[in-house]
Amino acid sequence: MKRRQIIHSRADAKRVIRQRILAGLFAALLGTGVSGCSTTMSDIAGTSIFTGAEWYLAFDVVSIINTDKTLVDHVVSLSTGQDCSTIRKIDGKSYCKKDPIPEPPLYCYRSLAAVSCYRTPDPYNTGAQTLDWPPTRSRSL
């Protein structure tokens, strides 16, 4: 009789999906290691070294554990300039997401009664010193 897992939250569902993916990849890794149909480096060199497929699966499992991306996802991310992940697609989200566009810096200066901030440095050529605005805990106006 099979034991069913009860999933209470979305985080539990994600964890179960990741476990199933990793279990499948690990089973494939073990399956290729015990099959007698492929020529391994151990046949050639006399040592026990993985085949290319076994290395690929091993690196894929390590990559999924550390980055939630497969090796193919890393290649697609590099080629498109977006953040792509099969795990995110399995979770029901989009496969690729664009990196957030950073906001341009603000240049803030003291004015008579307050602090004025601009998108360009010293727009009125006053030679004023920029301020750290909003002030951090270590510095104040």
Side-chain angles (χ1 to χ4, degrees):
M1 184 170 176
K2 273 189 163 180
R3 194 179 109 211
R4 289 193 64 155
Q5 273 186 312
I6 298 173
I7 300 172
H8 295 288
S9 68
R10 188 163 175 85
D12 289 337
K14 290 179 183 181
R15 183 181 46 79
V16 169
I17 289 171
R18 282 196 188 102
Q19 286 175 346
R20 289 181 181 165
I21 290 172
L22 291 174
L25 288 172
F26 188 68
L29 178 67
L30 287 178
T32 58
V34 296
S35 70
C37 299
S38 63
T39 303
T40 63
M41 286 300 292
S42 61
D43 297 338
I44 298 167
T47 60
S48 59
I49 300 176
F50 289 152
T51 62
E54 291 169 339
W55 278 111
Y56 175 78
L57 285 173
F59 285 132
D60 215 18
V61 168
V62 169
S63 177
I64 289 173
I65 290 171
N66 291 320
T67 64
D68 285 342
K69 292 182 182 184
T70 63
L71 296 177
V72 173
D73 294 339
H74 285 289
V75 171
V76 171
S77 295
L78 285 174
S79 64
T80 61
Q82 298 177 353
D83 183 22
C84 302
S85 173
T86 303
I87 302 293
R88 188 174 34 253
K89 181 65 176 174
I90 290 172
D91 289 342
K93 300 174 185 170
S94 65
Y95 178 66
C96 292
K97 69 176 184 178
K98 292 184 179 180
D99 292 331
I101 298 170
E103 291 186 23
L106 286 178
Y107 301 93
C108 299
Y109 304 93
R110 283 186 200 261
S111 61
L112 272 176
V115 173
S116 301
C117 297
Y118 306 98
R119 297 266 179 223
T120 59
D122 200 11
Y124 302 112
N125 293 325
T126 60
Q129 196 80 348
T130 60
L131 297 174
D132 180 22
W133 193 260
T136 58
R137 292 176 190 231
S138 62
R139 294 179 54 189
S140 64
L141 292 174

